């Protein structure tokens, strides 16, 4: 088997020595080419190169969720084709590693590498669905390039939190759960539209749902992790279905306290609920429109401000090693 290993040297939870050990372990089982990323978007370019090659059967992403997202977007540059495209394997190296953990892989890079090698020997894999976000035709974001996401996207409040975290990291702060919680509090205090949202959710042949403050789009469950604790925004979300949505139409202090508690105590059977919560399951096509530009994120990567995003849930988009 010929494989391409995409290595993010800035992965927060793996050292250079650990990465060398992992590379040697993988190389002992396959014909491996290891490439270290050198710039933002490099992993995407490498994924596209693998997709367009005639002999690469497997792409291994060693890094966090951002690295995985780039590789996936490269692999699917010409669209999903699970039977033709190389398979994907993920060695978690980031601070949270939601995608790898949602697949059932260990959060430790060495243990995950062992699990991947066992899966390759046993020929175990699954074909998963993915989400696609695009600029809405007729909107000012119409020309925005399409982009795939593996586990979640967010429009509004949660994307603003991620933007704040990225600003702190650029200033030298470490990516910790405490940092995220501080930015949640600051985003809430600075949010000017927490009582009257500007987002409208539109679906074909359905009445629009308006005045939403935030929208979280899930492709799997859990939505994220706080340390070892899984957090379920949409417990029914799955790699085997289309997309799920959790939206809120109010972020008053009592509402925030209620829904934050529900998220922190969520389980695979029970997520946030209440009169200010909108929950949708297995949605194939929908659009989020906002009266004002709002922050937008995909797989934990802040992508700036948008006024309209159209989402598509694509079942059976990519084969992964598990």
């Amino acid at each position: 088997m010929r494989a391409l290993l995409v290595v993010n040297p800035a992965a927060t939870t793996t050292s250079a020595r650990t990465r060398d050990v992992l590379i040697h372990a993988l190389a002992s089982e396959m014909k491996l080419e290891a490439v270290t990323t050198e710039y933002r978007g490099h992993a995407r370019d490498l994924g596209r190169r693998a997709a367009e090659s005639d002999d690469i059967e497997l792409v291994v992403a060693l890094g966090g969720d951002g690295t995985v997202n780039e590789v996936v977007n490269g692999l699917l540059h010409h669209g999903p084709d699970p039977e033709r495209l190389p398979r994907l394997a993920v060695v978690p190296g980031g601070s949270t590693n939601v995608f790898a953990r949602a697949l059932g892989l260990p959060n430790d890079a060495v243990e995950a590498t062992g699990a991947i090698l066992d899966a390759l020997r046993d020929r175990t894999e699954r074909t998963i669905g993915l989400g696609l976000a695009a600029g809405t035709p007729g909107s000012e974001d119409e020309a925005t390039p399409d982009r795939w996401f593996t586990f979640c996207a967010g429009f509004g409040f949660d994307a603003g939190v991620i933007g704040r975290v990225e600003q702190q990291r650029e200033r030298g702060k470490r990516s910790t759960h405490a940092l995220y919680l501080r930015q949640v509090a600051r985003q809430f205090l600075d949010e000017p539209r927490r009582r009257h949202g500007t987002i409208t959710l539109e679906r074909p042949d359905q009445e629009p749902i308006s005045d939403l403050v935030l929208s979280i789009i899930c492709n799997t469950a859990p939505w994220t992790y706080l340390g070892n604790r899984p957090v379920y925004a949409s417990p029914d979300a799955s790699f085997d279905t289309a997309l799920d949505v959790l939206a809120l139409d109010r972020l008053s202090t009592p509402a925030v306290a209620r829904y934050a508690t529900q998220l922190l105590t969520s389980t695979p059977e029970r997520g946030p609920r209440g009169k200010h919560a909108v929950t949708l399951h297995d949605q194939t096509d929908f659009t989020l429109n906002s009266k004002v530009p709002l922050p937008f994120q995909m797989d934990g990567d802040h992508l700036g401000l948008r006024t309209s995003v159209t989402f598509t849930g694509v079942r059976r988009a990519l084969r992964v090693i598990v």
Side-chain angles (χ1 to χ4, degrees):
M1 175 188 295
R2 185 178 174 204
L4 173 66
L5 173 64
V6 179
V7 182
N8 179 1
T12 56
T13 58
T14 57
S15 65
R17 179 176 295 180
T18 301
R19 290 192 290 271
D20 287 342
V21 170
L22 300 181
I23 290 170
H24 282 95
L26 292 167
S28 69
E29 299 289 336
M30 62 193 75
K31 185 177 180 181
L32 185 72
E33 177 189 3
V35 181
T36 299
T37 58
E38 299 176 355
Y39 54 87
R40 190 180 182 94
H42 193 183
R44 180 197 61 228
D45 295 342
L46 293 170
R48 179 177 178 180
R49 192 191 89 188
E52 294 173 346
S53 74
D54 295 325
D55 56 353
I56 294 179
E57 300 175 68
L58 174 70
V59 177
V60 183
L62 198 172
D65 289 312
T67 303
V68 175
N69 180 278
E70 285 196 13
V71 169
V72 167
N73 274 277
L75 285 171
L76 273 65
H77 179 79
H78 299 292
D81 190 349
E83 301 308 314
R84 181 191 66 81
L85 290 173
R87 292 167 292 171
L88 173 70
V90 178
V91 178
S95 58
T96 310
N97 307 305
V98 177
F99 179 67
R101 295 162 83 176
L103 287 172
L105 291 169
N107 197 35
D108 177 81
V110 175
E111 292 182 11
T113 300
I116 290 168
L117 291 174
D118 288 344
L120 288 169
R121 295 187 193 105
D122 296 338
R123 300 180 181 274
T124 57
E125 62 182 53
R126 65 183 291 193
T127 303
I128 64 169
L130 296 171
L132 180 66
T136 305
S139 75
E140 60 185 70
D141 296 313
E142 179 177 9
T144 303
D146 296 357
R147 182 161 171 167
W148 296 90
F149 59 97
T150 62
F151 65 91
C152 84
F155 191 44
F157 184 86
D158 82 301
V161 172
I162 287 175
R164 288 173 177 271
V165 170
E166 290 189 3
Q167 289 176 351
Q168 294 298 312
R169 292 185 65 182
E170 290 171 359
R171 295 170 185 166
K173 300 287 187 180
R174 291 182 61 249
S175 179
T176 64
H177 299 298
L179 176 63
Y180 274 88
L181 293 175
R182 286 196 300 271
Q183 301 315 311
V184 168
R186 290 172 181 170
Q187 180 71 18
F188 171 72
L189 293 174
D190 291 343
E191 176 58 60
R193 292 172 289 272
R194 58 177 180 255
R195 291 181 179 272
H196 302 286
T198 64
I199 303 170
T200 298
L201 190 154
E202 298 179 355
R203 294 174 290 166
D205 303 319
Q206 299 283 338
E207 287 294 319
I209 304 171
S210 58
D211 300 326
L212 302 173
V213 180
L214 67 80
S215 298
I216 296 172
I217 301 92
C218 293
N219 187 48
T220 188
W223 166 52
T224 190
Y225 291 83
L226 287 176
N228 291 322
R229 178 191 289 275
V231 180
Y232 297 87
S234 298
D236 293 331
S238 167
F239 288 128
D240 298 321
T241 61
L243 303 174
D244 282 28
V245 179
L246 168 66
L248 300 179
D249 63 14
R250 178 168 295 188
L251 281 180
S252 63
T253 301
V256 167
R258 181 185 312 115
Y259 292 117
T261 300
Q262 290 179 356
L263 280 170
L264 292 174
T265 59
S266 58
T267 69
E269 292 77 32
R270 193 169 179 84
R273 63 271 175 203
K275 65 178 181 179
H276 297 300
V278 175
T279 58
L280 302 174
H281 175 59
D282 197 16
Q283 301 296 302
T284 303
D285 299 284
F286 60 94
T287 296
L288 296 175
N289 295 306
S290 175
K291 300 171 185 175
V292 299
L294 293 177
F296 179 57
Q297 68 88 10
M298 296 173 66
D299 286 347
D301 187 11
H302 187 264
L303 300 179
L305 302 178
R306 303 280 178 86
T307 57
S308 185
V309 187
T310 293
F311 293 90
T312 305
V314 180
R315 299 180 180 89
R316 299 186 57 79
L318 187 67
R319 293 180 299 164
V320 295
I321 303 299
V322 291

